Amino acid sequence: FTGVGCMKKFHINTRRLVTLALMAALSTGLHYVESIIPSLLPIPGFRLGLANIITLFVLYYYGGLSYLFVTAIKVLLVALISSGFGVTFLMSLTGSVLSAVISLFLYYIVKPSPYGLSVTASLFHTLGQLLCYGLFFNTFYIFGYLVILGPLSLLTGFLMALLVTFLIQRIPQSFLAEERIRR
């Protein structure tokens, strides 16, 4: 750690790590808040996915590696806080992995708007969860449930993208320029 350049780099990395940890905590908190609010629709497995506002924001604001970090920490913290490491964790993990793979592919290769990315990621998260359930319980009749959860995933993905777009537009340009320099 000799020289100013090395200390500056260390400071920037520490700042980013702290910021991403706060994003992961915020995402986990939104997941928890959503779990204690009564569901809008009495459909098992249906959730708005409020935590995805934060992860999608992180993808567009900080990039892919930061997105993976926040997503992984959120999945682990949710398991530690509420569901444990059973079937619910595996379903969440499978949905998150499938959603992250498609999100990163779209973000870096196709470059869609937050709407296209969020809607697709939401649908793939649902597909991942149903796939995990089907494999775990050896029943693939669960994919019939996609008729109900599929359109709901598209709707909630659109709503989350709307909120993320609102957030991105409200961040002062000076913060965005500073973040681009740090990358």
Side-chain angles (χ1 to χ4, degrees), residues 18-34:
V18 169
T19 302
L20 294 177
L22 287 171
M23 293 290 182
L26 183 57
S27 180
T28 303
L30 282 174
H31 179 86
Y32 178 74
V33 166
E34 184 179 2

Side-chain angles (χ1 to χ4, degrees), residues 53 56-58 60-61 113-115 159-177 180:
I53 296 168
L56 189 60
F57 172 79
V58 168
Y60 276 92
Y61 192 70
S113 70
Y115 294 96
L159 293 174
M160 297 311 111
L162 186 67
L163 294 171
V164 168
T165 302
F166 178 79
L167 279 175
I168 290 172
Q169 291 172 347
R170 297 301 181 269
I171 292 176
Q173 290 300 316
S174 60
F175 290 157
L176 291 173
R180 286 190 189 106

Side-chain angles (χ1 to χ4, degrees), residues 31-72:
H31 179 86
Y32 178 74
V33 166
E34 184 179 2
S35 72
I36 60 173
I37 296 172
S39 181
L40 299 173
L41 299 173
I43 298 172
F46 171 71
R47 296 181 67 123
L48 288 174
L50 295 176
N52 298 324
I53 296 168
I54 304 302
T55 56
L56 189 60
F57 172 79
V58 168
L59 177 60
Y60 276 92
Y61 192 70
Y62 291 102
L65 288 176
S66 298
Y67 164 76
L68 288 174
F69 174 79
V70 170
T71 301

